Amino acid sequence: MAVSTPPKTPYEPPTTPAKTGISQIWSKLAGPLIMLGPAGLWLLLLLVFPTLVIFQLSLVENIRPGDVVIPDGLGNYLRVFEPINLRVIARSVNFAIGTTVFCLLLGFPVAYWIAVMAPPKSRNLLLLGFVLPLWTSSLLRSYAWITILRPTGVLNSFLGLLGLPTLALLNSSPAVLIGMTYSYLPYMVTVLYASLEKLDSRLLEASADLGAKPPETFWKITVPQTKTGIIAGSLLVFISSLGDFVDPELLGGASSMTVSRLIYNQFLGATQNWGFGSALSMVLIFGVSIAIALLIRYGDGRPSK
């Protein structure tokens, strides 16, 4: 007599209770929070919180160290638009624009030669040699330019040997532009190099085969292909030079007052007006933030198609 056995049921693993909405959200956010938490805390303590403190101080007129912070209006911001302060802001913008233009004019040929014309094996070494001055302090570079541009410096000594008249460059606007261009030229070259090395050489060859002249090839092929690199490098130099303090302070003298020097005088100078200095700082932060937004939007560094 055959004994019937019950059919085997397939094995089913034990079910776990479904995650609640909060636990699902936490499981998705735990990883990013752990990875970004230290950097976020660092930015919060050293960027966001100090900026909020500066903004609070900017709302207090004629505040000095030790005074009670009681925000009372926008008087400091209205003072920013006084003619004398607008001239200082305009001078800072002019220095930044001039530095950007000179860096672009000087940096593009260098970056093009390194990225396109130099032997491939030596390109990295050439680029390293060009950015090597960035390894030294900006203060030391400015003092080196003082040695070159002062009345008894290297430049005037060389001009005297040639029988040429000497130049009074130190403590002038041209000296500031020279120092700032030298300081930020490596940034322009590196950004342009990153864009130029992706340049499609076949388009250059096709343009030459079709009889285009070099200037025409440059404006119709090279510039459109490297447009984003030009924008990125220009905005990077403009942002950096707009808040430069060392070069105008050491090379410009009293006639080259800039926003950064004016802010310094409000906090550490004889005036000691922290409220007005904070308002100037917020205006500078706002202007730089706009430039950074443009850099993020248009300066991805990829060649245009």
Side-chain angles (χ1 to χ4, degrees):
M1 181 177 179
V3 179
S4 61
T5 58
K8 295 182 178 180
T9 58
Y11 173 76
E12 296 181 358
T15 59
T16 57
K19 294 183 178 180
T20 62
I22 297 178
S23 61
Q24 288 180 348
I25 295 175
W26 172 249
S27 62
K28 293 180 180 179
L29 296 180
L33 286 176
I34 293 174
M35 297 296 293
L36 300 177
L41 181 62
W42 184 271
L43 290 175
L44 182 65
L45 293 177
L46 299 182
L47 179 62
V48 177
F49 181 71
T51 303
L52 293 177
V53 172
I54 292 175
F55 177 70
Q56 185 183 29
L57 290 175
S58 69
L59 300 176
V60 184
E61 295 188 41
N62 300 317
I63 187 173
R64 294 176 179 272
D67 293 346
V68 179
V69 179
I70 303 177
D72 55 3
L74 301 176
N76 291 320
Y77 289 96
L78 296 177
R79 186 180 171 188
V80 171
F81 296 98
E82 293 178 357
I84 187 172
N85 296 320
L86 288 178
R87 286 196 294 269
V88 173
I89 295 175
R91 186 182 297 115
S92 301
V93 174
N94 289 335
F95 279 147
I97 293 175
T99 301
T100 302
V101 172
F102 282 123
C103 285
L104 181 60
L105 295 177
L106 296 175
F108 198 97
V110 175
Y112 185 88
W113 179 75
I114 296 176
V116 179
M117 303 177 65
K121 294 183 179 180
S122 60
R123 289 175 184 173
N124 291 335
L125 184 61
L126 291 172
L127 190 64
L128 175 63
F130 197 82
V131 302
L132 202 60
L134 293 178
W135 294 11
T136 61
S137 170
S138 59
L139 187 64
L140 293 177
R141 295 198 298 268
S142 296
Y143 273 109
W145 277 110
I146 291 176
T147 304
I148 296 173
L149 299 178
R150 66 186 179 184
T152 58
V154 177
L155 177 61
N156 284 327
S157 298
F158 180 71
L159 293 176
L161 292 176
L162 298 178
L164 299 175
T166 59
L167 301 175
L169 290 176
L170 191 62
N171 297 328
S172 65
S173 296
V176 176
L177 285 175
I178 291 173
M180 293 175 68
T181 301
Y182 174 78
S183 297
Y184 299 111
L185 184 59
Y187 297 105
M188 179 69 77
V189 170
T190 52
V191 175
L192 291 176
Y193 172 81
S195 183
L196 284 167
E197 70 171 351
K198 303 172 185 176
L199 184 65
D200 192 349
S201 60
R202 295 174 298 178
L203 296 177
L204 302 178
E205 296 173 358
S207 177
D209 293 339
L210 293 174
K213 296 180 180 179
E216 189 176 7
T217 300
F218 175 77
W219 289 110
K220 292 186 177 182
I221 302 297
T222 304
V223 171
Q225 284 277 300
T226 58
K227 180 177 64 175
T228 52
I230 294 173
I231 295 174
S234 300
L235 287 174
L236 179 62
V237 172
F238 179 83
I239 292 169
S240 303
S241 57
L242 184 61
D244 191 356
F245 173 79
V246 175
D247 290 313
E249 176 71 17
L250 296 180
L251 302 175
S255 61
S256 299
M257 178 65 67
T258 59
V259 174
S260 56
R261 296 179 64 188
L262 186 58
I263 293 173
Y264 172 85
N265 291 337
Q266 304 306 313
F267 283 97
L268 301 177
T271 55
Q272 290 284 304
N273 190 342
W274 285 21
F276 180 55
S278 299
L280 286 170
S281 301
M282 292 305 301
V283 171
L284 184 60
I285 290 172
F286 180 72
V288 170
S289 299
I290 294 176
I292 292 175
L294 294 175
L295 176 62
I296 295 174
R297 175 63 179 85
Y298 298 104
D300 56 3
R302 294 174 294 184
S304 300
K305 296 183 180 180

